[in-house]
Amino acid sequence: MRNDNRIALILSGGGARAAYQVGVLSAIGKMLPKNTPLPFPILCGTSAGALNAGMLAIYADNFTKAISNLSYVWRHLTPERVYKTNSLAILSSIGKVALSLFHDGYNKNSQLSLLDNAPLHQLLRQHLDLNRIQTSIDKQYLDALSITAMSYTTGLTTSFFEGQSNIENWERTRQRGIRTKLTHDHLLASSAIPIIFPARQLGDDFYGDGAMRQQSPISPALHLGADKIMVIGVSDKRAITPWHKEKIVAHSPSIAQITGQLLHSAFIDNFETDIEQLKRTNSLSDHSSTTTEGQKISKIETLIISPSMALDEIGSQHLSQLPWNIRSLLGATGATPKAGGTTAASYLLFTSDYCRSLIELGKKDANWEKDRILDFLNL
């Protein structure tokens, strides 16, 4: 199955929260005929969403298989398969950060971070044969896959992409698109949450999480030729909590609480702002077919699926499943319900129970939106 629309699927970041995307995709897979090709010819992934996009791309000929593999990986995920959890590794990482204070703030021999995500590299090598991306493109099951990361050297948000030959590189204010052969290093760079995971060198620059400074998360999809866009986000904006039920933390913010708000700013706020901007552009296209400069205004249809429950609250129920030394590290920074810092912890909760809870929530939310999804896909 492949309709005439150039539909882009945008998978945002959010660490362990990206398990929610798998639930939504699993529900969509059940709505379509078994073993149908990928219904989204354009894939755009950022941070942990880039890992999900990679799996969809290599199995673009069989959406059912792609979802099955994604679900298996996330349902059996443990922190040990994403980052080193033993005390020696954690102390070594913290020690390198401390020593860097006496060497101009950097380490010549290794990247500085609180956690070592070497196990994630092994996991990607085990499950993602990225050579299949070009096969999917050659067989026209896929138009393009972009993976977004941010250069620590230049500050530019860079979307590395593989795609059909007619897609050109682009460069705009603080963002660019570069055609390249995608590798596991691109995925690791895109998902390198600042401070927590190490930066990754690509060419001459070092790159970190693509959500940082990404002022227009929808932009790569438009540059790749999308005329319809589906976004599976990790914001719990729909999970409205009455003011009288909000938990008030009566003390100065902890390190984890501050970090959680910074992560929300990177992973969620820019997306919501960009979507609002797109809605205004669509509204403008309803009243005028051209801009004041004479350029044609095209209306971009969008569909946004986001959590109906607060992921922070779900995460707080699973904190005890983290290894004790990780809990101790998080606890020392205030990543506890009492200190109001569970938001930061929810990004690192790569436990099977938490991921399965998010997958089930994603399925439920997508099934609530079934009619809208099928209409969006022209089915």
Side-chain angles (χ1 to χ4, degrees):
M1 180 202 71
R2 173 74 179 271
N3 59 46
D4 294 332
N5 293 111
R6 292 170 59 82
I7 304 176
L9 174 65
I10 299 181
L11 299 174
S12 60
R17 290 168 169 244
Y20 175 82
Q21 299 169 351
V22 180
V24 173
L25 292 168
S26 295
I28 294 175
K30 295 292 185 181
M31 301 174 193
L32 307 180
K34 191 174 182 180
N35 300 323
T36 189
L38 179 72
F40 312 101
I42 297 172
L43 296 170
C44 301
T46 301
S47 194
L51 314 184
N52 291 338
M55 182 71 81
L56 295 178
I58 66 176
Y59 293 111
D61 62 326
N62 192 326
F63 190 46
T64 304
K65 186 173 183 179
I67 297 306
S68 176
N69 287 352
L70 263 181
S71 182
Y72 177 85
V73 171
W74 280 95
R75 285 181 177 276
H76 294 84
L77 209 55
T78 63
E80 292 82 3
R81 302 193 72 189
V82 179
Y83 49 84
K84 293 182 179 180
T85 61
N86 63 80
S87 298
L88 181 60
I90 295 174
L91 290 174
S92 175
S93 295
I94 295 175
K96 290 176 182 177
V97 173
L99 287 174
S100 71
L101 300 177
F102 302 96
H103 295 87
D104 296 324
Y106 69 96
N107 189 311
K108 291 183 177 181
N109 300 317
S110 62
Q111 301 304 312
L112 299 177
S113 63
L114 291 179
L115 297 173
D116 183 349
N117 64 348
L120 176 59
H121 193 185
Q122 180 61 34
L123 184 69
L124 296 180
R125 293 173 59 185
Q126 180 181 351
H127 292 281
L128 290 177
D129 178 7
L130 297 183
N131 292 320
R132 291 176 57 95
I133 296 174
Q134 189 58 51
T135 301
S136 296
I137 294 170
D138 292 341
K139 293 185 177 180
Q140 298 188 349
Y141 290 115
L142 182 70
D143 287 349
L145 165 67
S146 76
I147 303 299
T148 299
M150 189 213 68
S151 168
Y152 282 108
T153 307
T154 65
L156 289 175
T157 296
T158 305
S159 295
F160 299 96
F161 70 90
E162 279 192 61
Q164 300 293 344
S165 58
N166 63 329
I167 301 175
E168 299 180 353
N169 293 350
W170 68 86
E171 187 155 357
R172 298 291 185 270
T173 304
R174 289 196 292 275
Q175 60 176 297
R176 60 184 176 180
I178 299 177
R179 178 185 292 276
T180 190
K181 171 69 175 176
L182 294 173
T183 67
H184 295 129
D185 282 336
H186 291 94
L187 300 182
L188 290 168
S190 181
S191 58
I193 300 175
I195 301 176
I196 297 175
F197 294 139
R200 208 77 183 180
Q201 185 170 8
L202 300 171
D204 295 329
D205 292 357
F206 287 90
Y207 289 83
D209 200 295
M212 295 186 297
R213 304 193 69 180
Q214 189 179 26
Q215 294 186 335
S216 182
I218 293 175
S219 178
L222 299 179
H223 282 292
L224 295 173
D227 52 30
K228 299 178 71 173
I229 295 174
M230 175 181 282
V231 178
I232 305 178
V234 295
S235 165
D236 46 24
K237 187 176 181 180
R238 288 200 295 154
I240 301 175
T241 302
W243 67 269
H244 60 277
K245 290 186 178 181
E246 292 180 355
K247 295 181 179 179
I248 300 176
V249 181
H251 55 69
S252 61
S254 65
I255 295 298
Q257 193 175 4
I258 295 171
T259 302
Q261 293 301 330
L262 290 174
L263 292 176
H264 269 348
S265 176
F267 290 116
I268 294 172
D269 293 353
N270 286 341
F271 244 115
E272 294 179 348
T273 301
D274 206 24
I275 289 168
E276 288 299 322
Q277 178 62 42
L278 184 59
K279 288 180 179 178
R280 287 193 290 270
T281 301
N282 284 339
S283 177
L284 181 63
S285 72
D286 289 335
H287 297 87
S288 174
S289 59
T290 60
T291 65
T292 55
E293 291 79 18
Q295 296 176 324
K296 184 178 180 180
I297 299 175
S298 299
K299 187 170 184 176
I300 305 296
E301 183 180 353
T302 60
L303 177 62
I304 303 163
I305 307 295
S306 57
S308 59
M309 296 179 62
L311 303 191
D312 294 355
E313 294 182 10
I314 298 175
S316 66
Q317 300 169 16
H318 296 276
L319 288 176
S320 62
Q321 296 166 1
L322 285 169
W324 71 268
N325 43 6
I326 298 297
R327 292 202 310 271
S328 298
L329 177 63
L330 292 174
T333 63
T336 63
K338 182 179 180 180
T342 54
T343 294
S346 71
Y347 287 87
L348 295 176
L349 262 172
F350 294 96
T351 64
S352 60
D353 284 351
Y354 178 61
C355 292
R356 292 182 187 196
S357 295
L358 298 195
I359 290 173
E360 293 307 311
L361 178 61
K363 286 182 179 180
K364 182 180 71 173
D365 290 348
N367 283 322
W368 280 348
E369 304 280 8
K370 181 176 180 179
D371 291 341
R372 291 180 62 212
I373 291 172
L374 292 178
D375 181 64
F376 182 82
L377 295 177
N378 293 333
L379 299 174

